[in-house]
Every structure is written in C-alpha cells, then in structure tokens.
Amino acid sequence: MSTIGTIDRPATHDPMNQVPTMTPPVSETPAPRTSGAPESRQNRNREMQLIPEALARAHMHERLHEAESERTALRLAAARRMQRKAERASLRARRALAMVVMH
C-alpha cells in the first residue's frame, strides 16, 4: 500500500523520496537577468521604494515639532496667568497693609 502525501502533509519528510511537484528543479530554471539593468536604475528604484518611509519620517518630525511648540505656548500662557494672579495678590496684600497702618 503506497500512501500519497499532499503539499501540506508529505508522505515522507525525506526530500529525495517525495513525489516531484510541478516546479522544475533549480538547475533547469534560468537565472534572472539583473545585468541588463544599470546600477543607477536599481538605486533609483530602491530610493523610490524608500520615499514613503522618508515622507512618513518627515511628517512625524513635523508633528513632534508642532506638539513641542504647542506645549511651550501652553506653559507660557500658564506662567503669564500665574504671574497676573500673583500680582493681584500682592496688590491686595499691600492695600490690606496700608489699611492697617492708616488706622
């Protein structure tokens, strides 16, 4: 009785005893020709593949810069509010002291 395996479950794990598949052996497949494309063209293709990554990196850098400037602006506004509040408290204290001295 001969068991026939499938692609997912071969009958044997030994590659030499497996049923040949539809793909030809490596020696019969022609090697891909990369010598026809100049090196500059290959570099250009590689650079074009990296463009979205570079754009995303630039966009994130810009967003981080915007967030940092917004945080700085919020801190400055809070500092100004606290300064005005301190000035009003100081003015109230001076008026209270003047009222005590005048009586």
Side-chain angles (χ1 to χ4, degrees):
M1 180 175 122
S2 172
T3 60
I4 298 176
T6 63
I7 292 175
D8 294 333
R9 297 179 185 273
T12 176
H13 292 290
D14 183 13
M16 298 305 289
N17 292 334
Q18 288 183 4
V19 178
T21 59
M22 296 296 288
T23 58
V26 176
S27 60
E28 293 179 17
T29 57
R33 295 186 344 150
T34 57
S35 60
E39 186 68 25
S40 64
R41 193 154 124 209
Q42 289 177 351
N43 285 340
R44 187 173 66 234
N45 288 343
R46 194 171 301 120
E47 289 172 9
M48 289 184 73
Q49 288 175 352
L50 295 178
I51 285 174
E53 184 179 336
L55 285 172
R57 190 177 296 116
H59 181 68
M60 285 304 299
H61 179 72
E62 184 180 340
R63 295 293 306 266
L64 286 172
H65 182 68
E66 288 174 3
E68 182 61 34
S69 62
E70 186 175 337
R71 280 193 295 269
T72 304
L74 289 174
R75 281 195 298 262
L76 180 62
R80 285 182 177 159
R81 281 194 306 270
M82 288 170 31
Q83 182 180 4
R84 286 193 300 268
K85 186 176 181 180
E87 288 172 355
R88 286 192 303 265
S90 173
L91 187 58
R92 281 196 305 269
R94 287 174 62 190
R95 285 183 185 153
L97 182 62
M99 295 291 274
V100 168
V101 171
M102 293 298 283
H103 282 71

